[in-house]
Amino acid sequence: MDGVIVNSEPCHERAFLDVVREIGYAHNHGLTVSDYVGRSDRELWTDFVARHKPAQTLAELLAMKRARVVEILQSEQPLFKGLPELLERLAPEYRMAVASGSERAVVEAVLAFKGLGRFFSVTITGSDIVRGKPQPDIFLHASAELGVEPKNCWVIEDSKPGIAAGLAAGMRVIAIGNTHPAQELGAATYVVETYHQIATLLLAG
């Protein structure tokens, strides 16, 4: 979802920085947020807590960040150009799932934009699994819920942990260069720059 449906990676970083500023770590949080692209919020905040031992609990920090990122997303609704049209074209041909490391409240907020939720019969979030990307669990869970063998699934990803997770699940992976340069995504089955290219791949023949 993040980096594929919505241009939310900058929103997540802003929300994180807003929270650490609020609790007094504006200039010394010591984490490189880009290192956590494609991974769960829990991993980011677990590392933050281990480093700083703040007064707030992990659960409190997750809740603060969740509320802030939902606020930013709802205000800006940064859907990628061409994404709604791609879903309209794929929906008659594919069963589709969202498999996102984000928390369910964040995923549901995004799927409410333009009624996007109607395109997805399954939604798996970071709270539904124990091991996040790059482990394959989230995609295997999604394929099981869809009732589709992993080998018959396509994953659309923007992040390197997501690509690794999709391949580890035995799926074909289309990487779109929304977050990383194309040359960093070469492990994927296909690398594209536009949603039209995704449609061409998935609707060929």
Side-chain angles (χ1 to χ4, degrees):
M1 182 191 77
D2 296 297
V4 174
I5 293 175
V6 282
N7 187 18
S8 53
E9 299 298 358
C11 302
H12 280 283
E13 181 165 357
R14 281 168 50 199
F16 169 76
L17 293 175
D18 285 349
V19 172
V20 295
R21 184 181 305 114
E22 181 179 339
I23 64 174
Y25 294 89
H27 303 295
N28 65 333
H29 60 79
L31 298 178
T32 303
V33 180
S34 60
D35 289 345
Y36 295 86
V37 170
R39 297 161 64 188
S40 71
D41 269 358
R42 181 171 292 276
E43 291 180 74
L44 172 65
W45 288 109
T46 296
D47 288 354
F48 178 86
V49 169
R51 177 183 289 262
H52 296 292
K53 301 188 172 45
Q56 297 78 13
T57 66
L58 176 61
E60 288 169 337
L61 292 168
L62 283 165
M64 292 169 71
K65 159 66 171 22
R66 180 192 315 125
R68 182 65 183 126
V69 79
V70 167
E71 180 183 347
I72 294 170
L73 287 168
Q74 289 178 331
S75 171
E76 300 183 4
Q77 299 198 15
L79 292 173
F80 282 106
K81 181 177 176 60
L83 182 279
E85 294 78 7
L86 173 66
L87 294 178
E88 290 275 6
R89 293 183 65 187
L90 295 182
E93 307 296 332
Y94 286 90
R95 278 176 276 174
M96 292 191 287
V98 171
S100 172
S102 282
E103 296 186 72
R104 185 162 293 275
V106 179
V107 175
E108 290 177 350
V110 168
L111 293 184
F113 302 161
K114 299 184 182 298
L116 294 181
R118 71 187 187 277
F119 295 114
F120 300 99
S121 55
V122 169
T123 303
I124 309 297
T125 70
S127 58
D128 298 318
I129 56 165
V130 175
R131 302 188 306 167
K133 305 170 189 177
Q135 301 300 323
D137 305 33
I138 196 164
F139 291 130
L140 293 173
H141 192 357
S143 70
E145 290 291 315
L146 286 170
V148 180
E149 290 290 327
K151 66 181 180 180
N152 295 324
C153 291
W154 290 90
V155 171
I156 301 172
E157 262 289 349
D158 72 304
S159 76
K160 289 177 276 190
I163 292 169
L167 294 174
M171 302 176 180
R172 292 165 290 179
V173 179
I174 300 173
I176 187 163
N178 288 340
T179 305
H180 299 288
Q183 59 266 28
E184 295 184 19
L185 305 175
T189 316
Y190 296 97
V191 180
V192 301
E193 293 293 339
T194 69
Y195 293 92
H196 179 73
Q197 288 174 289
I198 296 174
T200 298
L201 282 169
L202 295 182
L203 300 173

